[in-house]
Amino acid sequence: MEFLQMQPLIEGVLAQIKPGPLQDPALQGLRHIFPDSTILGALSLINGERVTVYVLSNGRSNYIVEGSTATSYTIQLDLGTSMPYMCSCYSFIHGVLSTRTHIFCKHILAVRLAIQMNRLVERRITEEGFANLIATQMKVS
């Protein structure tokens, strides 16, 4: 099923998730949409406090997830396009964009869950500081 057809279902399940530990009904809803490996990977990233929102001085939020291989991935939400989100990881490019075998990668799911569960690590940063952070990541990758 295409993402646009799945989006209302995804948003409905995510809306059921409240701050605090993930409750069983919400987990079961996620399991109807995502593979267990994606859910477990996302929860592992959240539990490891590797999901960070950088709040810029202009109020914009940018998300970075430290992956399981010590690589950081940039996540963009609310792009306002038919694909409303983006992740810089291979799984997103291959599984979501290319082969369309996945709806989210674990990094996007981790961000969306961390927002709902109130589990984001928040850092305030200037636009220049964030640009430098991204530039540093690109040199390392």
Side-chain angles (χ1 to χ4, degrees), residues 14 34 37-46 50-52 63-77 85-93 96 102-115 120:
L14 290 172
F34 301 103
S37 60
T38 302
I39 297 167
L40 292 173
L43 292 174
S44 176
L45 292 168
I46 293 167
R50 297 191 310 222
V51 183
T52 304
Y63 304 92
I64 293 184
V65 175
E66 296 173 43
S68 52
T69 61
T71 302
S72 293
Y73 301 103
T74 303
I75 289 50
Q76 295 293 322
L77 301 179
Y85 50 80
M86 185 281 306
C87 180
S88 60
C89 76
Y90 174 80
S91 181
F92 179 81
I93 294 166
V96 177
H102 291 80
I103 297 168
F104 284 3
C105 63
K106 69 181 178 182
H107 310 109
I108 291 173
L109 183 59
V111 168
R112 295 296 308 272
L113 290 174
I115 290 169
L120 288 168

Side-chain angles (χ1 to χ4, degrees), residues 14-30:
L14 290 172
Q16 294 177 12
I17 298 171
K18 304 298 180 212
L22 189 61
Q23 301 298 313
D24 192 54
L27 182 58
Q28 292 307 315
L30 290 170

Side-chain angles (χ1 to χ4, degrees), residues 8 11 25-26 29 33 36 40 51 54 57 67 70 79 95 102 107 124 139:
E11 296 304 323
I33 302 169
D36 285 348
L40 292 173
V51 183
Y54 288 88
S57 52
L79 294 175
H102 291 80
H107 310 109
R124 301 234 171 238
K139 288 178 188 174

